[in-house]
Amino acid sequence: MKIRTPRLFRRVSLGSAVIWMAAFVLVPNLLILLTSFLERDEATFVAFDFSLHGYSTILSPLFLDVLLKSVYLAGTATLICLLAAYPFAWTLARLRSKHKGLLLLLVMIPFWTNSLIRTYAMVFVLKGRGVISMLLTGLGFADRPVSFMYSEFAIFAGLTYTLLPFMILPLYSSIEKLDGRMIEAAKDLGASGMRTFFHVVLPLTRPGIIAGCMMVFLPALGMFFIPDILGGGKHLIVGNFIKNQFLTARDWPVGSAASVVLTLLMLGLMWLYGRSSRKLGQHGGSKL
């Protein structure tokens, strides 16, 4: 009984996970892939006739512009998150205080609130009589209320605010595992602070940087509600394009084809991440 119980528990756990993944990940993605090769139908949304209408439509300049705009917005937001998160994660990982756990908890608290609600909260920060505007007028930097809504700045602020914890946590994990003796050795050999950072610290924390960039960049491509709410719908990303095809244009094959392209892009980036991680693991030590 003592032997069978863990084995039964393991089988039930694995079986539940497999059923869950098949029902809510594999089957929906297969349906999206199938729909992308079907013909549009006004009455039933799709007709079961093979067609490349979806893929031929997304080859239009409109979708390519949306895709490039998405990469620009998501890439810039990723860079902002990286520049803001790295010093914070470094300080947090090197902190020797009993309050370290509390600070880590504060980083994770935003996960307890729905990201859509947090995005609406940003409206009260960025609007004409919001927090930033009142601060600027109060300090004398502006003589009238200033609104940051419906601009690229508002989109970057929303993406950074929503996705910053996804950058901090992998960086924190990577920096905390950093062997301090490597830094001491570099200093003993006469390396300056900048040289130690770029030739020792940065390569050793590269897995955390790559993981954080992946965890920010990929979700940023699909967060359509942030450009909708904070950008006023003037700046479309791939997520907006897919949502509009399904809910407004009712062209499910085109929306499905765009979803397939976005999924392939994500899989390609994850493959590059896995390849770079393996290469770093094989050659990182020898380079140092």
Side-chain angles (χ1 to χ4, degrees):
M1 188 65 184
K2 290 182 179 177
I3 298 175
R4 288 181 178 178
T5 302
R7 186 177 299 173
L8 177 63
F9 177 75
R10 186 166 56 249
R11 288 180 177 177
V12 171
S13 301
L14 289 175
S16 302
V18 170
I19 293 173
W20 178 275
M21 294 294 289
F24 297 105
V25 178
L26 181 61
V27 173
N29 278 285
L30 288 177
L31 289 175
I32 288 291
L33 180 63
L34 173 65
T35 306
S36 68
F37 288 104
L38 297 180
E39 186 65 50
R40 181 187 182 189
D41 187 89
E42 295 290 343
T44 59
F45 300 118
V46 290
F48 286 90
D49 297 321
F50 178 79
S51 173
L52 294 177
H53 159 72
Y55 291 97
S56 62
T57 303
I58 64 172
L59 289 177
S60 64
L62 172 64
F63 180 76
L64 295 179
D65 287 343
V66 171
L67 185 61
L68 291 177
K69 187 73 174 179
S70 303
V71 172
Y72 161 68
L73 292 174
T76 306
T78 302
L79 180 61
I80 295 172
C81 285
L82 176 62
L83 295 177
Y86 201 99
F88 182 82
W90 177 272
T91 304
L92 188 61
R94 295 292 168 180
L95 191 64
R96 297 290 179 264
S97 169
K98 61 181 181 181
H99 302 300
K100 182 176 180 178
L102 176 63
L103 293 174
L104 197 57
L105 177 66
L106 292 176
V107 174
M108 292 186 286
I109 279 180
F111 289 120
W112 300 355
T113 307
N114 186 281
S115 56
L116 182 61
I117 297 174
R118 283 184 280 145
T119 302
Y120 275 111
M122 286 294 294
V123 174
F124 293 94
V125 177
L126 299 171
K127 68 178 185 178
R129 296 188 180 277
V131 175
I132 297 180
S133 178
M134 292 173 64
L135 190 63
L136 291 176
T137 52
L139 294 176
F141 292 109
D143 55 358
R144 65 182 66 181
V146 181
S147 175
F148 295 94
M149 290 292 293
Y150 312 133
S151 63
E152 284 191 356
F153 174 80
I155 297 174
F156 289 139
L159 289 174
T160 303
Y161 171 63
T162 303
L163 298 171
L164 188 61
F166 291 98
M167 181 68 80
I168 291 176
L169 294 178
L171 284 175
Y172 168 79
S173 176
S174 184
I175 294 172
E176 194 178 39
K177 295 175 184 174
L178 185 63
D179 190 349
R181 292 174 299 179
M182 304 293 288
I183 300 175
E184 293 297 330
K187 290 181 179 177
D188 291 342
L189 292 172
S192 63
M194 293 293 287
R195 192 176 179 84
T196 301
F197 176 75
F198 284 108
H199 291 273
V200 178
V201 175
L202 206 56
L204 289 175
T205 57
R206 192 183 303 164
I209 295 173
I210 296 175
C213 290
M214 294 282 295
M215 294 176 68
V216 171
F217 181 78
L218 296 180
L221 289 174
M223 286 190 163
F224 61 86
F225 54 91
I226 292 179
D228 272 354
I229 297 172
L230 302 180
K234 295 186 294 185
H235 305 275
L236 295 179
I237 60 174
V238 177
N240 296 97
F241 181 86
I242 295 172
K243 183 205 72 172
N244 292 338
Q245 294 303 318
F246 277 103
L247 300 181
T248 306
R250 302 288 184 180
D251 197 339
W252 287 20
V254 174
S256 299
S259 301
V260 171
V261 171
L262 185 60
T263 303
L264 291 177
L265 178 62
M266 291 180 177
L267 291 177
L269 292 174
M270 292 175 69
W271 177 75
L272 289 175
Y273 167 65
R275 185 179 178 184
S276 63
S277 297
R278 286 194 298 272
K279 187 178 293 185
L280 183 65
Q282 292 173 356
H283 304 291
S286 60
K287 287 181 180 179
L288 295 172

